[in-house]
Amino acid sequence: MIGLIPTTWSNNLVVPPLAFGMAMLNLAFDKIEGLGYNNVFSTGNLKKAVTGWCAYFLEGDRQGLTAAVNYTGLVSAFILGALLSAVLQRAWGTTTIWGASVLLTIVSDLYAFLLYRRSQYTKSPFYRSGQDDGHLD
C-alpha cells in the first residue's frame, strides 16, 4: 500500500503503517537456525556477529563460529538489500517497496512449501524418528 501513496503526502501519514508492518515482521520472524535475530534493523545482528567471531578466534568456540557465519550473512544481506533498494529507488521511486513485497511473498511461499514437504516426509512410513541423517535440520 505504501507504494501507492503519493510522495506529496506527509511522512506523518506514511511512517505509522511502515512501523506497524516492521513490528509485525519483528514479531513473526525472530529466529534462524535456533539463533535469535532481528530482520527489521541490523545493529543487534552485527553485535552478535562480532561476538561470535571473537568467541571463535579467542576461545575456539565452534558454536561461536556457527553464530558468526549466520549473523555475518544476515548483516551482509541487509547491506546488499539496502544498497539495491537505494539504486532501484532512483529508477522506480517509492514503488520500489513493491519489489520487496514481491520478494517476501516468494520467499514466504517457498518456505511454506518446504514446511509442507517436511511434514509429509516425516509422515512417511520410511521415516525413522531420531535416526535420520540430519538433513532436515
Side-chain angles (χ1 to χ4, degrees):
M1 297 292 292
I2 298 299
L4 296 172
I5 296 175
T7 56
T8 56
W9 282 27
S10 168
N11 285 342
N12 293 335
L13 299 173
V14 177
V15 172
L18 281 175
F20 178 76
M22 285 190 263
M24 296 298 289
L25 279 172
N26 196 28
L27 180 64
F29 305 103
D30 62 348
K31 289 193 178 184
I32 187 168
E33 292 191 22
L35 300 170
Y37 85 106
N38 196 321
N39 59 359
V40 177
F41 49 89
S42 203
T43 52
N45 297 334
L46 180 59
K47 176 185 173 186
K48 290 177 181 180
V50 171
T51 302
W53 286 117
C54 288
Y56 175 68
F57 285 120
L58 299 177
E59 301 168 9
D61 183 3
R62 299 291 294 169
Q63 288 180 333
L65 176 62
T66 300
V69 169
N70 284 330
Y71 287 118
T72 299
L74 286 169
V75 171
S76 298
F78 187 88
I79 291 168
L80 289 173
L83 291 173
L84 180 62
S85 175
V87 169
L88 291 176
Q89 282 182 21
R90 292 181 149 226
W92 297 347
T94 57
T95 57
T96 303
I97 200 165
W98 294 345
S101 298
V102 169
L103 184 60
L104 284 173
T105 300
I106 291 169
V107 169
S108 296
D109 289 347
L110 178 60
Y111 184 64
F113 173 74
L114 292 174
L115 288 175
Y116 170 77
R117 290 285 308 262
R118 180 170 68 177
S119 73
Q120 295 304 307
Y121 175 79
T122 57
K123 291 177 185 175
S124 167
F126 301 108
Y127 175 75
R128 292 175 287 164
S129 180
Q131 297 179 0
D132 68 346
D133 58 6
H135 73 280
L136 296 176
D137 295 333

